[in-house]
Amino acid sequence: MNIIFLGPPGAGKGTQSKLLEERYGLVQISTGDMLRAEVARGSETGQQAKSLMETGRLVPDDLIIKMLESRIAQPDCAKGFILDGFPRTTGQAEALDAMLKASNKHIDVVLFLDVDEDILADRISGRFTCAKCGATYNEVSNPPKQDGVCDSCGSHEFKRRADDKRETVVERLKEYRKLTAPILPFYEKTGRLHAINGMLPTSEVTAQIETVMAGQ
Ligand code: AP5
Protein backbone atom coordinates (compact mmCIF):
# COMPACT_ATOMS: atom_id res chain seq x y z
CA MET A 1 0.00 0.00 0.00
CA ASN A 2 1.24 3.50 -0.88
CA ILE A 3 0.05 6.46 1.16
CA ILE A 4 0.39 10.24 1.01
CA PHE A 5 0.11 12.45 4.09
CA LEU A 6 -0.95 16.01 3.32
CA GLY A 7 -1.32 18.82 5.81
CA PRO A 8 0.20 22.10 6.96
CA PRO A 9 3.46 22.35 8.93
CA GLY A 10 2.96 20.88 12.40
CA ALA A 11 -0.25 19.03 11.49
CA GLY A 12 1.21 15.72 12.73
CA LYS A 13 2.30 14.14 9.43
CA GLY A 14 5.61 12.89 10.84
CA THR A 15 4.05 11.66 14.08
CA GLN A 16 1.31 9.68 12.32
CA SER A 17 3.62 8.41 9.54
CA LYS A 18 5.95 6.85 12.10
CA LEU A 19 3.03 5.12 13.84
CA LEU A 20 1.71 3.79 10.51
CA GLU A 21 5.18 2.66 9.47
CA GLU A 22 5.42 0.45 12.56
CA ARG A 23 1.85 -0.79 12.39
CA TYR A 24 1.68 -1.67 8.67
CA GLY A 25 5.35 -2.38 7.87
CA LEU A 26 5.56 0.46 5.34
CA VAL A 27 8.53 2.76 4.69
CA GLN A 28 8.20 6.39 5.78
CA ILE A 29 9.71 8.81 3.27
CA SER A 30 10.03 12.29 4.73
CA THR A 31 11.41 14.73 2.16
CA GLY A 32 12.08 17.20 5.00
CA ASP A 33 14.24 14.60 6.84
CA MET A 34 16.02 13.73 3.59
CA LEU A 35 16.81 17.39 2.94
CA ARG A 36 17.99 17.95 6.53
CA ALA A 37 20.35 14.97 6.11
CA GLU A 38 21.70 16.52 2.89
CA VAL A 39 22.21 19.86 4.66
CA ALA A 40 24.06 18.10 7.51
CA ARG A 41 26.29 16.29 4.95
CA GLY A 42 27.01 19.57 3.17
CA SER A 43 26.16 17.97 -0.20
CA GLU A 44 25.34 20.01 -3.30
CA THR A 45 21.62 19.34 -2.76
CA GLY A 46 21.99 20.39 0.89
CA GLN A 47 23.73 23.61 -0.09
CA GLN A 48 20.94 24.47 -2.55
CA ALA A 49 18.23 23.69 0.02
CA LYS A 50 19.73 25.19 3.21
CA SER A 51 18.87 28.89 2.91
CA LEU A 52 15.42 28.18 1.43
CA MET A 53 14.56 25.84 4.32
CA GLU A 54 15.88 28.30 6.90
CA THR A 55 13.62 31.01 5.53
CA GLY A 56 10.57 28.75 5.31
CA ARG A 57 10.49 28.53 1.49
CA LEU A 58 9.96 25.36 -0.54
CA VAL A 59 12.97 23.99 -2.44
CA PRO A 60 12.65 23.84 -6.26
CA ASP A 61 10.48 21.07 -7.75
CA ASP A 62 13.20 19.61 -10.00
CA LEU A 63 15.56 19.05 -7.07
CA ILE A 64 12.96 17.39 -4.83
CA ILE A 65 11.40 15.29 -7.61
CA LYS A 66 14.79 13.83 -8.54
CA MET A 67 15.49 13.01 -4.88
CA LEU A 68 12.09 11.37 -4.39
CA GLU A 69 12.26 9.40 -7.62
CA SER A 70 15.53 7.73 -6.65
CA ARG A 71 14.24 7.03 -3.12
CA ILE A 72 11.05 5.23 -4.19
CA ALA A 73 13.07 3.12 -6.64
CA GLN A 74 14.95 1.57 -3.67
CA PRO A 75 14.07 -2.10 -2.95
CA ASP A 76 12.68 -1.38 0.55
CA CYS A 77 9.87 0.69 -1.03
CA ALA A 78 8.49 -2.32 -2.92
CA LYS A 79 6.39 -3.33 0.10
CA GLY A 80 4.75 0.10 0.22
CA PHE A 81 5.61 3.62 1.35
CA ILE A 82 4.24 6.61 3.19
CA LEU A 83 5.03 10.00 1.67
CA ASP A 84 5.42 12.58 4.43
CA GLY A 85 5.93 16.08 3.01
CA PHE A 86 5.63 15.20 -0.69
CA PRO A 87 3.97 16.28 -2.95
CA ARG A 88 3.79 19.94 -2.00
CA THR A 89 3.05 21.60 -5.33
CA THR A 90 0.87 20.76 -8.32
CA GLY A 91 4.08 20.11 -10.32
CA GLN A 92 5.22 17.56 -7.72
CA ALA A 93 1.80 15.84 -7.69
CA GLU A 94 1.82 15.51 -11.48
CA ALA A 95 5.43 14.26 -11.50
CA LEU A 96 4.56 11.68 -8.84
CA ASP A 97 1.64 10.37 -10.87
CA ALA A 98 3.86 10.04 -13.94
CA MET A 99 6.70 8.26 -12.11
CA LEU A 100 4.31 5.81 -10.41
CA LYS A 101 2.52 5.06 -13.67
CA ALA A 102 5.86 4.32 -15.34
CA SER A 103 6.62 1.69 -12.69
CA ASN A 104 3.09 0.23 -12.50
CA LYS A 105 2.45 1.60 -9.03
CA HIS A 106 -0.22 3.90 -7.67
CA ILE A 107 -1.27 5.81 -4.57
CA ASP A 108 -3.95 3.97 -2.58
CA VAL A 109 -4.84 6.56 0.03
CA VAL A 110 -4.28 10.29 0.55
CA LEU A 111 -4.71 11.35 4.18
CA PHE A 112 -5.23 15.06 4.78
CA LEU A 113 -4.58 16.12 8.37
CA ASP A 114 -6.84 19.11 8.89
CA VAL A 115 -5.63 21.45 11.68
CA ASP A 116 -6.54 25.11 12.32
CA GLU A 117 -3.63 27.52 11.86
CA ASP A 118 -3.76 28.97 15.38
CA ILE A 119 -2.92 25.52 16.80
CA LEU A 120 0.03 24.90 14.46
CA ALA A 121 2.43 27.60 15.69
CA ASP A 122 2.13 26.39 19.31
CA ARG A 123 2.65 22.77 18.28
CA ILE A 124 5.75 23.59 16.28
CA SER A 125 7.31 25.83 18.94
CA GLY A 126 6.85 23.01 21.48
CA ARG A 127 8.45 20.37 19.25
CA PHE A 128 11.83 18.77 19.98
CA THR A 129 13.43 15.54 18.82
CA CYS A 130 15.91 13.04 20.16
CA ALA A 131 19.34 13.92 18.73
CA LYS A 132 20.23 10.22 18.53
CA CYS A 133 17.18 8.34 17.19
CA GLY A 134 14.96 11.20 15.93
CA ALA A 135 11.91 10.38 18.09
CA THR A 136 9.59 13.44 18.13
CA TYR A 137 8.25 15.00 21.33
CA ASN A 138 6.22 18.01 22.35
CA GLU A 139 6.63 20.05 25.53
CA VAL A 140 2.86 20.14 26.06
CA SER A 141 1.19 17.24 24.28
CA ASN A 142 3.89 14.58 24.22
CA PRO A 143 6.80 14.98 26.67
CA PRO A 144 9.15 12.02 27.32
CA LYS A 145 7.90 9.75 30.14
CA GLN A 146 11.01 10.60 32.15
CA ASP A 147 12.09 14.23 31.91
CA GLY A 148 15.21 14.60 29.73
CA VAL A 149 15.38 10.93 28.67
CA CYS A 150 14.28 9.65 25.25
CA ASP A 151 11.56 6.96 25.58
CA SER A 152 12.85 5.13 22.51
CA CYS A 153 16.64 5.00 22.96
CA GLY A 154 17.43 6.43 26.42
CA SER A 155 19.51 9.31 25.02
CA HIS A 156 19.74 12.54 27.03
CA GLU A 157 20.36 14.74 24.00
CA PHE A 158 17.57 16.58 22.23
CA LYS A 159 17.49 19.14 19.43
CA ARG A 160 15.16 21.65 17.79
CA ARG A 161 14.78 22.42 14.10
CA ALA A 162 16.32 25.61 12.68
CA ASP A 163 13.06 26.38 10.83
CA ASP A 164 10.82 26.07 13.91
CA LYS A 165 11.29 29.72 14.96
CA ARG A 166 7.97 31.58 15.00
CA GLU A 167 8.91 34.01 12.19
CA THR A 168 9.93 31.09 9.93
CA VAL A 169 6.74 29.20 10.74
CA VAL A 170 4.75 32.21 9.47
CA GLU A 171 6.60 31.89 6.12
CA ARG A 172 6.11 28.11 6.01
CA LEU A 173 2.38 28.57 6.50
CA LYS A 174 2.28 31.15 3.68
CA GLU A 175 4.03 28.67 1.35
CA TYR A 176 1.55 25.98 2.39
CA ARG A 177 -1.46 28.20 1.62
CA LYS A 178 -0.06 29.40 -1.69
CA LEU A 179 1.51 26.23 -3.13
CA THR A 180 0.40 23.11 -1.24
CA ALA A 181 -3.27 23.65 -0.30
CA PRO A 182 -4.19 24.01 -4.02
CA ILE A 183 -3.26 20.35 -4.64
CA LEU A 184 -6.07 19.09 -2.41
CA PRO A 185 -8.65 19.26 -5.27
CA PHE A 186 -6.20 17.27 -7.45
CA TYR A 187 -6.57 14.31 -5.07
CA GLU A 188 -10.20 15.01 -4.15
CA LYS A 189 -11.30 14.33 -7.71
CA THR A 190 -9.56 10.92 -7.67
CA GLY A 191 -11.78 9.85 -4.72
CA ARG A 192 -8.69 8.86 -2.73
CA LEU A 193 -8.59 11.88 -0.41
CA HIS A 194 -9.69 11.36 3.21
CA ALA A 195 -9.90 14.34 5.55
CA ILE A 196 -8.84 13.56 9.12
CA ASN A 197 -9.50 15.84 12.09
CA GLY A 198 -5.89 16.44 13.17
CA MET A 199 -6.87 18.63 16.12
CA LEU A 200 -7.77 15.69 18.35
CA PRO A 201 -5.23 13.98 20.63
CA THR A 202 -2.67 11.85 18.76
CA SER A 203 -4.29 8.50 19.63
CA GLU A 204 -7.67 9.73 18.35
CA VAL A 205 -6.10 10.94 15.11
CA THR A 206 -4.53 7.49 14.71
CA ALA A 207 -7.92 5.86 15.32
CA GLN A 208 -9.50 7.87 12.47
CA ILE A 209 -6.65 6.87 10.16
CA GLU A 210 -7.05 3.21 11.08
CA THR A 211 -10.74 3.40 10.20
CA VAL A 212 -9.80 4.68 6.74
CA MET A 213 -7.13 1.99 6.36
CA ALA A 214 -9.59 -0.74 7.37
CA GLY A 215 -11.80 0.30 4.44
CA GLN A 216 -9.01 -0.24 1.88
P1 AP5 B 1 9.10 19.19 6.54
O1 AP5 B 1 10.17 18.61 7.37
O2 AP5 B 1 8.32 18.31 5.64
O3 AP5 B 1 8.18 20.03 7.49
P2 AP5 B 1 6.58 20.38 7.45
O4 AP5 B 1 5.78 19.82 6.34
O5 AP5 B 1 6.56 21.86 7.58
O6 AP5 B 1 6.00 19.60 8.58
P3 AP5 B 1 6.55 19.42 10.03
O7 AP5 B 1 7.63 18.39 10.04
O8 AP5 B 1 6.89 20.75 10.64
O9 AP5 B 1 5.25 18.94 10.77
P4 AP5 B 1 4.48 17.56 10.85
O10 AP5 B 1 3.18 17.71 10.14
O11 AP5 B 1 5.36 16.41 10.45
O12 AP5 B 1 4.19 17.52 12.40
P5 AP5 B 1 4.82 16.63 13.58
O13 AP5 B 1 4.30 15.24 13.49
O14 AP5 B 1 6.30 16.83 13.68
O15 AP5 B 1 9.71 20.34 5.58
C1 AP5 B 1 10.66 21.26 6.06
C2 AP5 B 1 11.17 22.10 4.89
O16 AP5 B 1 11.84 21.26 3.93
C3 AP5 B 1 10.10 22.85 4.07
O17 AP5 B 1 9.75 24.09 4.66
C4 AP5 B 1 10.81 23.01 2.72
O18 AP5 B 1 11.76 24.05 2.75
C5 AP5 B 1 11.56 21.69 2.59
N1 AP5 B 1 10.76 20.64 1.92
C6 AP5 B 1 10.40 19.42 2.43
N2 AP5 B 1 9.70 18.72 1.54
C7 AP5 B 1 9.58 19.50 0.43
C8 AP5 B 1 8.93 19.33 -0.82
N3 AP5 B 1 8.23 18.22 -1.11
N4 AP5 B 1 9.02 20.34 -1.72
C9 AP5 B 1 9.73 21.47 -1.46
N5 AP5 B 1 10.36 21.70 -0.29
C10 AP5 B 1 10.28 20.71 0.66
O19 AP5 B 1 4.11 17.33 14.83
C11 AP5 B 1 4.43 18.65 15.23
C12 AP5 B 1 4.40 18.73 16.77
O20 AP5 B 1 3.07 18.53 17.21
C13 AP5 B 1 5.26 17.64 17.48
O21 AP5 B 1 5.83 18.21 18.63
C14 AP5 B 1 4.23 16.55 17.84
O22 AP5 B 1 4.64 15.83 18.99
C15 AP5 B 1 2.98 17.39 18.08
N6 AP5 B 1 1.74 16.67 17.69
C16 AP5 B 1 1.56 15.85 16.64
N7 AP5 B 1 0.27 15.41 16.58
C17 AP5 B 1 -0.37 16.01 17.63
C18 AP5 B 1 -1.73 15.96 18.12
N8 AP5 B 1 -2.67 15.22 17.49
N9 AP5 B 1 -2.03 16.69 19.21
C19 AP5 B 1 -1.07 17.44 19.85
N10 AP5 B 1 0.24 17.51 19.46
C20 AP5 B 1 0.57 16.81 18.35
Side-chain angles (χ1 to χ4, degrees):
M1 174 159 320
N2 300 318
I3 300 169
I4 294 175
F5 262 110
L6 293 178
K13 303 181 295 296
T15 302
Q16 294 298 331
S17 299
K18 286 201 175 77
L19 293 169
L20 240 64
E21 181 179 40
E22 282 164 28
R23 168 98 203 248
Y24 296 96
L26 304 170
V27 177
Q28 178 204 14
I29 302 176
S30 159
T31 44
D33 285 348
M34 290 169 79
L35 288 170
R36 281 183 285 278
E38 295 294 334
V39 171
R41 281 199 310 126
S43 68
E44 200 182 313
T45 300
Q47 285 171 31
Q48 285 180 59
K50 190 171 187 286
S51 62
L52 291 165
M53 292 174 80
E54 281 173 357
T55 50
R57 308 269 312 280
L58 293 187
V59 307
D61 278 358
D62 54 349
L63 184 152
I64 201 92
I65 289 166
K66 210 159 68 183
M67 195 174 84
L68 196 272
E69 191 163 22
S70 67
R71 180 65 188 93
I72 61 175
Q74 301 290 312
D76 62 336
C77 290
K79 59 189 173 186
F81 52 77
I82 305 164
L83 296 180
D84 161 12
F86 185 98
R88 266 172 135 107
T89 63
T90 308
Q92 293 179 22
E94 288 167 355
L96 176 66
D97 254 16
M99 72 177 87
L100 291 178
K101 218 170 268 169
S103 53
N104 264 332
K105 290 180 183 160
H106 64 277
I107 295 296
D108 298 281
V109 190
V110 183
L111 298 163
F112 167 53
L113 291 179
D114 195 5
V115 179
D116 288 348
E117 279 200 8
D118 51 352
I119 297 177
L120 297 170
D122 286 338
R123 273 197 192 172
I124 291 174
S125 62
R127 170 172 50 195
F128 59 99
T129 55
C130 172
K132 197 170 163 203
C133 73
T136 301
Y137 296 97
N138 188 280
E139 285 162 4
V140 180
S141 62
N142 181 29
K145 290 189 186 78
Q146 195 186 333
D147 194 23
V149 183
C150 175
D151 297 346
S152 305
C153 74
S155 168
H156 294 262
E157 274 180 57
F158 295 91
K159 59 180 183 182
R160 287 179 190 262
R161 272 170 46 180
D163 62 346
D164 277 354
K165 296 187 207 83
R166 284 206 181 246
E167 60 273 24
T168 315
V169 172
V170 169
E171 291 308 314
R172 286 164 60 194
L173 284 169
K174 273 192 205 157
E175 289 282 87
Y176 173 78
R177 281 195 296 266
K178 189 169 81 182
L179 298 166
T180 309
I183 68 177
L184 290 172
F186 178 91
Y187 287 112
E188 206 159 26
K189 63 176 190 252
T190 66
R192 288 172 289 168
L193 183 75
H194 299 266
I196 305 289
N197 179 351
M199 290 173 279
L200 299 176
T202 300
S203 60
E204 292 177 38
V205 176
T206 308
Q208 293 175 71
I209 292 170
E210 285 178 344
T211 303
V212 172
M213 298 290 281
Q216 296 306 306

